[in-house]
Amino acid sequence: MNTVDSALERAKTKVQNKLQATIPVDRQVQAAHLVEKARRLVSKVEPLVFTERPIPDAADLPLTELDVSDPFLFRQGKWHSYFKRLREEAPVHYLADSAFGPFWSVTRYEDIVAVDTNPAVFSAEPYIILGHAPINVEMFIAMDPPVHDVQRKAVQGVVAPRNLREMESLIRERVQDVLDNLPIDRPFDWVDRVSMELTGRMLATLLDFPYDERRKLTYWSDTISGTAEGTGGTTSQDDFYEATGDMARNFMALWYDKAARRKRGEAPGFDLITLMQTSEDTKDLINRPLEFLGNLALLIVGGNDTTRNSMSGGVLALHQNPDQFEKLKADPSLISNTVSEVIRWQTPLAYMRRVAKEDVHFGGQFIRKGDKVVMWYASGNRDERQFENPDAFIIDRPNARSHMSFGFGVHRCMGNRLAEMQLRIMWEELLARFDKIEVIGEPEYVQSNFVKGYEKMMVQLTPKSTD
């Protein structure tokens, strides 16, 4: 690029930034939606839609055709055999053709740690998902240091140990309220009545979002993280843009309302919006709409999917392993380790994506600059080299806490202690109330290659005996 080109590029960026700062974020979402509709009309390209078909056994396919990005792999229970074969025969595996383009899969525990802790070579930008997002928003989990570190620092205080101690009584009170109002005379959907409800209440608290409207947070999270182009999900392009625009409008209103209240002398809260408003690095985030939008989506999706699916996964794991449930009831001191084992066993987010910043030899393969590299946490958490009898659910597993569901390095999950605390409290309160939690029939699983979770799971409770 010559001097003139560089000057023009800088001028273009300056104009784009100025335009972004002057156009409200919901209008930018609306404009992006119109552009997308026009593009579809002109190009006559139909939106990507996945149709479920039986997935072949891993042993019946050539190694080069093993596709672990299939959004039905988890639902059909094939993921164990697919990842096991990759770990054994091609731990750093290249798939040349998939619905999400070519990508490398890293499937062994130690290799995943090596990629996750090397941001100098493996970039988190521009996305953490295998596909692409309809809008090119910016979020700190998909940024490299040093920008990532600055933005993360602005909000991580909300989950600092002192704040967690103050939140514990509130979380316990809300868990008790939800559990005390569950039906015991008939089956009910655990995902809706417990997992979604508890995570919705916690998210509303963290964001200081109107409590009565907390289910909006769940809807936005599910819709935004579930596009076909991004993760193989069921969200249509139109639903994505409508949900994103609605979320933007609501949080713009919340941002300006909180700013006005603080200007009138109201004491600052300790929620994520206030923390962003009072940090030098993020106090003008509202003027950087795509960054504002991206970080909100990150906080909502991150706080929703992981804890919610671990809450459901733990119930299913203990139902399928009644000896472990009896062991837990006999020794509640195992709850903390059980929580780690649940998070390992469930692995609520299956992977994180990176992009090679340079040509690199890794795991016996040559990865070119610009290649997608997917770290499959779901596989690393079942790696026989790290975990003995890895597919078994063992609540007193000695190294359960070494699971990789929270990631490693600079991108390690910011809310990991909060998630663990919510799960610990839920199990403490469950053991105090119920002798048995029986899962009725097969759960319904989410269609996604990213979120390893549940749409519906019917359960029947047996209250604790008073004898």
Side-chain angles (χ1 to χ4, degrees), residues 211-248:
Y211 194 65
D212 294 346
E213 299 178 34
R214 59 188 178 277
R215 283 295 177 118
K216 283 184 177 178
L217 299 168
T218 310
Y219 171 71
W220 293 332
S221 173
D222 290 350
T223 306
I224 291 170
S225 66
T227 63
E229 291 80 2
T231 60
T234 56
T235 300
S236 70
Q237 292 269 333
D238 291 341
D239 287 346
F240 170 86
Y241 283 107
E242 285 171 18
T244 305
D246 192 31
M247 183 183 80

Side-chain angles (χ1 to χ4, degrees), residues 148-382:
H148 160 272
D149 303 350
V150 170
Q151 294 210 358
R152 178 181 168 118
K153 187 179 174 185
V155 293
Q156 68 183 9
V158 77
V159 288
R162 192 185 72 171
N163 211 25
L164 289 183
R165 284 194 295 274
E166 291 178 359
M167 275 193 263
E168 179 159 354
S169 60
L170 176 63
I171 293 173
R172 189 175 298 280
E173 182 184 307
R174 290 179 172 174
V175 169
Q176 290 170 340
D177 179 55
V178 168
L179 299 186
D180 286 341
N181 286 288
L182 293 176
I184 56 172
D185 58 344
R186 63 183 186 280
F188 66 92
D189 181 9
W190 178 270
V191 174
D192 180 66
R193 293 289 296 267
V194 181
S195 304
M196 289 172 71
E197 182 59 24
L198 285 177
T199 48
R201 292 183 183 207
M202 196 65 240
L203 268 176
T205 302
L206 291 173
L207 291 158
D208 197 22
F209 191 80
Y211 194 65
D212 294 346
E213 299 178 34
R214 59 188 178 277
R215 283 295 177 118
K216 283 184 177 178
L217 299 168
T218 310
Y219 171 71
W220 293 332
S221 173
D222 290 350
T223 306
I224 291 170
S225 66
T227 63
E229 291 80 2
T231 60
T234 56
T235 300
S236 70
Q237 292 269 333
D238 291 341
D239 287 346
F240 170 86
Y241 283 107
E242 285 171 18
T244 305
D246 192 31
M247 183 183 80
R249 280 188 293 278
N250 276 266
F251 275 97
M252 280 172 60
L254 182 62
W255 179 284
Y256 288 123
D257 176 61
K258 290 182 74 67
R261 282 189 275 145
R262 284 181 46 239
K263 200 170 180 180
R264 291 196 298 268
E266 185 175 299
F270 207 70
D271 56 273
L272 288 161
I273 301 295
T274 301
L275 287 174
M276 287 192 279
Q277 287 180 336
T278 53
S279 166
E280 277 301 309
D281 299 308
T282 52
K283 66 182 182 183
D284 62 344
L285 200 61
I286 193 75
N287 297 324
R288 290 177 272 154
L290 296 184
E291 221 173 305
F292 175 70
L293 196 58
N295 282 318
L296 281 174
L298 166 64
L299 295 169
I300 293 170
V301 174
N304 176 47
D305 279 319
T306 51
T307 312
R308 170 174 133 193
N309 290 313
S310 295
M311 286 178 174
S312 301
V315 168
L316 180 63
L318 287 165
H319 167 77
Q320 292 177 345
N321 298 273
D323 61 317
Q324 298 299 303
F325 195 22
E326 292 304 317
K327 191 191 298 183
L328 183 62
K329 287 193 293 185
D331 184 4
S333 71
L334 290 170
I335 286 178
S336 290
N337 206 69
T338 300
V339 166
S340 293
E341 178 67 348
V342 166
I343 296 169
R344 182 195 74 85
W345 187 85
Q346 179 60 37
T347 317
L349 294 182
Y351 68 84
M352 288 285 159
R353 188 191 96 173
R354 299 291 183 259
V355 172
K357 296 166 82 170
E358 58 189 58
D359 291 349
V360 59
H361 289 277
F362 183 82
Q365 301 286 354
F366 180 65
I367 299 175
R368 293 189 181 281
K369 179 181 178 180
D371 283 357
K372 293 181 189 175
V373 179
V374 181
M375 306 176 294
W376 288 99
Y377 297 151
S379 176
N381 275 336
R382 301 298 178 99

Side-chain angles (χ1 to χ4, degrees), residues 425-445:
I425 291 172
M426 186 191 79
W427 280 105
E428 287 171 352
E429 297 298 329
L430 280 171
L431 291 185
R433 286 166 175 75
F434 305 111
D435 266 337
K436 190 174 180 183
I437 308 172
E438 185 181 3
V439 176
I440 310 293
E442 272 295 305
E444 294 177 16
Y445 295 91

Side-chain angles (χ1 to χ4, degrees), residues 57-73:
D57 290 339
D60 294 339
L61 289 171
L63 191 59
T64 53
E65 294 180 17
L66 280 185
D67 182 2
V68 286
S69 71
D70 189 314
F72 305 106
L73 197 70

Side-chain angles (χ1 to χ4, degrees), residues 26-42:
D26 60 325
R27 296 287 179 83
Q28 295 197 35
V29 173
Q30 193 177 29
H33 191 186
L34 290 172
V35 169
E36 176 59 27
K37 282 182 174 177
R39 188 187 69 79
R40 291 204 306 253
L41 192 64
V42 171

